[in-house]
Amino acid sequence: VVRTSGTALPPPSDAEVPELNRRLLKYQDLYARSVDQLPRPGRTVTVTLGMNDSGNEWTLNGKLASDPMRVRVERGETIRVILDNKSPMWHPMHLHGHTFQLRVSDRGGPRKDTVNIKPRERLSVDVLADNPGEWMFHCHNLYHQEQGMMGTLGYGPAPRGGGHTGHTAHTGRGKRSGKRPARR
């Protein structure tokens, strides 16, 4: 129920909302315009979404954010990332600095920057590496992110020191690094 003011009255408890009984939109129903299709990928990388036995730590390829998983790309390449959710939870996976194309059929799928992955589901997304930097890739369930489900998509060799310093530490064009400039 959405109220537009503090004085709006809630609907009666027996109110019917016919829209809630309709068919739900699925990713298979969506596709990008032909001009927005990404080139076919040259290689495939699998990213496994998992949970440690403790139940309090969420992982990408078995790694926590303290030692983050890094998917290396080269500028101009398109890669397919298979997101393999081995966990019992939904994960809205989000990539900073890029959109990707969800591959749900022969005609492709929608362009997005976040995709919901159901428990025990595998989805494929294609990413065009066209925005150099170290970009955060994480679960948008923030407690999953805080408990480890955060990695990077990075261009070329990994920066010295691992290159991962937090939410604003991307170095893509036109973006702030999250650090204050040095005083002169």
Side-chain angles (χ1 to χ4, degrees):
V1 175
V2 177
R3 292 190 201 182
T4 57
S5 75
T7 59
L9 296 175
S13 61
D14 61 349
E16 301 243 350
V17 183
E19 290 81 4
L20 297 179
N21 294 321
R22 293 184 183 160
R23 182 180 167 279
L24 295 176
L25 187 65
K26 297 179 180 179
Y27 288 135
Q28 291 82 353
D29 299 325
L30 305 171
Y31 58 93
R33 300 175 310 166
S34 59
V35 69
D36 295 321
Q37 298 282 330
L38 290 182
R40 289 286 174 197
R43 64 187 175 99
T44 299
V45 175
T46 298
V47 175
T48 302
L49 288 60
M51 179 178 71
N52 282 346
D53 291 337
S54 68
N56 293 325
E57 295 175 315
W58 300 93
T59 62
L60 294 176
N61 285 353
K63 294 181 153 243
L64 296 170
S66 57
D67 178 27
M69 174 225 54
R70 182 177 189 266
V71 174
R72 178 182 172 161
V73 294
E74 300 299 329
R75 188 175 190 164
E77 82 169 316
T78 301
I79 66 166
R80 175 157 295 159
V81 179
I82 297 173
L83 299 167
D84 188 9
N85 186 2
K86 300 285 190 189
S87 83
M89 297 284 288
W90 286 61
H91 297 289
M93 295 302 296
H94 175 65
L95 176 61
H96 288 231
H98 299 79
T99 60
F100 48 77
Q101 186 166 12
L102 185 60
R103 291 293 175 181
V104 292
S105 69
D106 291 340
R107 64 180 183 164
R111 293 281 296 269
K112 302 181 67 55
D113 67 4
T114 305
V115 64
N116 282 312
I117 304 170
K118 296 176 188 172
R120 316 286 184 231
E121 181 178 53
R122 287 172 62 105
L123 292 176
S124 295
V125 299
D126 293 348
V127 180
L128 173 61
D130 63 352
N131 192 8
E134 292 293 313
W135 294 98
M136 195 162 111
F137 180 57
H138 64 94
C139 180
H140 242 291
N141 282 339
L142 294 182
Y143 75 98
H144 292 174
Q145 175 190 318
E146 291 293 323
Q147 292 174 321
M149 192 172 273
M150 179 168 47
T152 61
L153 178 114
Y155 287 66
R160 288 188 302 218
H164 178 78
T165 58
H167 185 78
T168 58
H170 49 73
T171 57
R173 64 177 182 247
K175 303 292 182 186
R176 296 183 58 191
S177 69
K179 297 178 183 175
R180 292 179 181 243
R183 292 188 174 202
R184 294 182 187 201

